[in-house]
Amino acid sequence: MINCTVASGEPIADERDVELGAGILSLHDAILQFGPGKRNGRRVVFTNGCFDLLHPGHIETLEAARSLGDALVVGVNSDRSVREMKGAGRPIMPERERAEILAALECVDGVVIFDEPTPQQIIAALLPDVLVKGGDWASDQIVGREEVEAAGGKVISIPLVAGHSTTAILEKIRKLDVSSGTDRQ
């Protein structure tokens, strides 16, 4: 089952006046739906990432994160912030498409695209009950840890799923292109 709706069922415009699809929220609307004063007893979980090429490792991590609460909000790096982190040629998929794919997953209740280098602003505003990051992040490097723990929340590191990574997928594609004689950039 795929869940592609938000509470209002209407597309939402973000701060850049771009019409967003169902499940893709501006920070303002995410706070209205999932902020501390709007939970009505629900336990809100937050995680974030680039999610450039969605793979089984992403799905398993998102499902594990969702199992820790009643609602999962996912922060997605904007195209600009992905380029800053990953370099030229990334992201492969535009931010809007990455967000739409995530919003269509049953385990995801809302997606917020952020342009800053980190999701600090989203985490500080939402103050999720649980902040989840992949096991590749050192405990002391998890952005938002201080805010979440100060508000009584938990920070949980989920082990990475072995054998799955966007970098590995891209390397495999490059090797196929080289062996077939295709010149791709």
Side-chain angles (χ1 to χ4, degrees):
M1 173 182 232
I2 296 177
N3 178 8
C4 299
T5 61
V6 290
S8 68
E10 297 294 320
I12 299 169
D14 73 0
E15 295 81 13
R16 295 171 286 182
D17 291 329
V18 175
E19 189 173 286
L20 299 175
I24 305 172
L25 308 171
S26 67
L27 176 55
H28 173 76
D29 286 316
I31 293 165
L32 289 177
Q33 288 187 40
F34 301 106
K38 302 295 184 174
R39 294 194 182 139
N40 298 322
R42 292 181 301 170
R43 189 171 163 95
V44 174
V45 180
F46 178 85
T47 193
N48 69 282
C50 298
F51 302 101
D52 198 3
L53 295 176
L54 201 62
H55 56 69
H58 288 133
I59 302 298
E60 287 185 38
T61 300
L62 291 168
E63 288 176 341
R66 177 60 167 78
S67 74
L68 298 170
D70 303 307
L72 175 61
V73 179
V74 179
V76 176
N77 291 81
S78 70
D79 292 346
R80 187 191 63 73
S81 68
V82 172
R83 273 190 299 278
E84 284 183 8
M85 282 190 296
K86 307 282 185 176
R90 298 284 298 273
I92 302 299
M93 305 261 309
E95 64 192 46
R96 172 60 189 250
E97 292 176 18
R98 291 182 282 126
E100 285 179 8
I101 290 168
L102 289 167
L105 298 174
E106 182 179 15
C107 63
V108 175
D109 297 285
V111 176
V112 178
I113 299 169
F114 64 95
D115 198 41
E116 298 77 24
T118 73
Q120 184 81 38
Q121 179 183 5
I122 298 170
I123 295 167
L126 281 180
L127 288 175
D129 299 294
V130 182
L131 173 60
V132 173
K133 282 303 287 179
D136 55 337
W137 285 87
S139 176
D140 63 340
Q141 293 181 345
I142 296 176
V143 170
R145 170 182 282 285
E146 292 178 16
E147 291 86 349
V148 169
E149 289 179 343
K154 292 183 181 179
V155 178
I156 297 177
S157 180
I158 295 179
L160 294 181
V161 179
H164 298 287
S165 79
T166 300
T167 302
I169 293 168
L170 292 172
E171 186 58 34
K172 185 175 182 179
I173 291 168
R174 287 184 190 104
K175 286 179 182 178
L176 288 171
D177 284 349
V178 169
S179 65
S180 69
T182 304
D183 183 22
R184 286 197 181 172
Q185 297 292 323

